[in-house]
Amino acid sequence: MKSSTEQASCGCAPAAPPVSASRGSHALAFWSDLDKPLLALALGVAAIALWLPHRLLASLLFTGQSLLGIAPWLAVSVLFAAYAKASGADTLVARAFTGSPARMVLLASLFGALSPFCSCGVVPVIAGLLGAGVPLAAVMAFWMSSPLMDPEMFALTAASLGVEFAVVKTLAAIAIGMFSGAVTHLLAGRGMLPGALRAAPSGCASNRSAGVQPHWNVMRESARRNAFFGAAAANGWFLLRWMSIAFLLESLMVVYLPAEKVLALLGQNAAAIPLAVLVGIPSYLNGYAALPLVRGLIELGMDPAVALAFLISGGVTSIPAATAVWALVKPRVFVLYVALACAGSIGVGYAYGALLALR
């Protein structure tokens, strides 16, 4: 009897693979091709319909209204990232974040605090920066500071909580960005953060040569025009699915873990600031909706330092923001992102508390 090698050499067809192996390969192929965010969304809706049927309509309405509310910011960020990719402007951004690590981190922190992107809308911009070769330390600094403050948020914070609080929050955003960038630079320098992106969700910019000059009119050439629309569609679809999951989860959090009730019980003891940070992660609404809530709690006696820690931690690691980050980066980078947000929020909370105690 001939061996399988001898059968192949004489032209005989090799034996068919076992049925179980064939089924296993088909199952793996099916799983790899499956749209997992859509599956998670469908399972979430089904779970609510099964166990909380009285909440289904309200959760769907909450999700839809939240998506409509954030749509303008997401549209701006998606179109900005698509234009940067199609025109080659991402190379200019990458060149701006060059030089010494300290310069890059400082510049990214300042630019992030002044940019108008929210914590979800900044995701495609971050993907583009990483794809363009911007170091992870600078990207992390930008990512941390960007959702915490922008011109509109500064004005609303000053009107609700006072100019001093708005200035303190701005300085806190820059400080957290610099702290996060410095820690990330140290870890990356030791080879502990290889490759940040899971997979480019939008056909992110490749690491092009720094000498390539941008072409600002992307509609003139068919290739750039197709790149623009392709990147915009891919980014929009990426964010739509993950934000739908995030807001569906948030619709349950605001009912079963209302922030105003939890924060009202924090008090002013030494553990209030870390507890406010932990509460801010799941129960935070959004930067604008949280302002009147926090103002009312401060008027009832909450320590402003506790309020600052809540606003900072929630702005970076709220359920929608964390979901978008998880979809974009590898688990190790995500864990670092959450750890830096928590540590930074606690640090600025205690620093502000110490400043208030000196008065």
Side-chain angles (χ1 to χ4, degrees), residues 15-37:
V19 174
S20 59
S22 177
R23 288 177 179 173
S25 63
H26 285 309
L28 289 175
F30 174 77
W31 177 253
S32 62
D33 294 337
L34 192 63
D35 193 321
K36 298 176 183 63

Side-chain angles (χ1 to χ4, degrees), residues 173-194:
I174 297 172
I176 289 178
M178 295 178 63
F179 164 73
S180 302
V183 173
T184 303
H185 173 70
L186 292 176
L187 295 178
R190 297 185 179 184
M192 300 175 66
L193 299 171

Side-chain angles (χ1 to χ4, degrees), residues 193-276:
L193 299 171
L197 290 172
R198 289 178 182 265
S202 59
C204 300
S206 59
N207 218 348
R208 293 188 286 264
S209 169
V212 176
Q213 294 300 317
H215 293 261
W216 303 113
N217 190 350
V218 298
M219 297 300 163
R220 179 177 298 175
E221 302 176 21
S222 61
R224 294 183 182 275
R225 184 169 59 250
N226 292 337
F228 172 80
F229 287 115
N235 262 327
W237 178 236
F238 169 80
L239 284 175
L240 177 63
R241 291 174 298 167
W242 284 103
M243 288 301 94
S244 297
I245 296 172
F247 288 131
L248 187 68
L249 292 174
E250 189 180 7
S251 71
L252 301 178
M253 300 299 298
V254 297
V255 173
Y256 296 105
L257 187 61
E260 61 272 16
K261 292 184 179 179
V262 178
L263 283 176
L265 301 176
L266 290 178
Q268 299 190 25
N269 54 61
I273 289 177
L275 184 56

Side-chain angles (χ1 to χ4, degrees), residues 83-309:
Y83 179 77
K85 175 184 182 298
S87 65
D90 50 1
T91 60
L92 293 181
V93 177
R95 275 181 266 171
F97 291 106
T98 56
S100 67
R103 176 185 178 276
M104 285 190 296
V105 168
L106 175 60
L107 183 62
S109 300
L110 292 172
F111 182 68
L114 297 175
S115 68
F117 298 115
C118 64
S119 52
C120 305
V122 77
V123 169
V125 180
I126 291 296
L129 292 177
L130 289 172
V134 176
L136 180 59
V139 173
M140 185 69 78
F142 174 78
W143 205 340
M144 286 291 179
S145 61
S146 180
L148 297 177
M149 186 55 65
D150 56 58
E152 184 178 7
M153 176 63 73
F154 184 92
L156 292 176
T157 303
S160 300
L161 302 173
V163 175
E164 177 189 298
F165 195 97
V167 172
V168 168
K169 190 183 177 189
T170 302
L171 295 177
I174 297 172
I176 289 178
M178 295 178 63
F179 164 73
S180 302
V183 173
T184 303
H185 173 70
L186 292 176
L187 295 178
R190 297 185 179 184
M192 300 175 66
L193 299 171
L197 290 172
R198 289 178 182 265
S202 59
C204 300
S206 59
N207 218 348
R208 293 188 286 264
S209 169
V212 176
Q213 294 300 317
H215 293 261
W216 303 113
N217 190 350
V218 298
M219 297 300 163
R220 179 177 298 175
E221 302 176 21
S222 61
R224 294 183 182 275
R225 184 169 59 250
N226 292 337
F228 172 80
F229 287 115
N235 262 327
W237 178 236
F238 169 80
L239 284 175
L240 177 63
R241 291 174 298 167
W242 284 103
M243 288 301 94
S244 297
I245 296 172
F247 288 131
L248 187 68
L249 292 174
E250 189 180 7
S251 71
L252 301 178
M253 300 299 298
V254 297
V255 173
Y256 296 105
L257 187 61
E260 61 272 16
K261 292 184 179 179
V262 178
L263 283 176
L265 301 176
L266 290 178
Q268 299 190 25
N269 54 61
I273 289 177
L275 184 56
V277 170
L278 293 178
V279 169
I281 293 175
S283 61
Y284 191 75
L285 304 177
N286 63 65
Y288 304 110
L291 291 177
L293 165 65
V294 170
R295 179 183 60 191
L297 293 172
I298 290 178
E299 291 174 352
L300 293 174
M302 172 180 280
D303 191 329
V306 177
L308 178 67

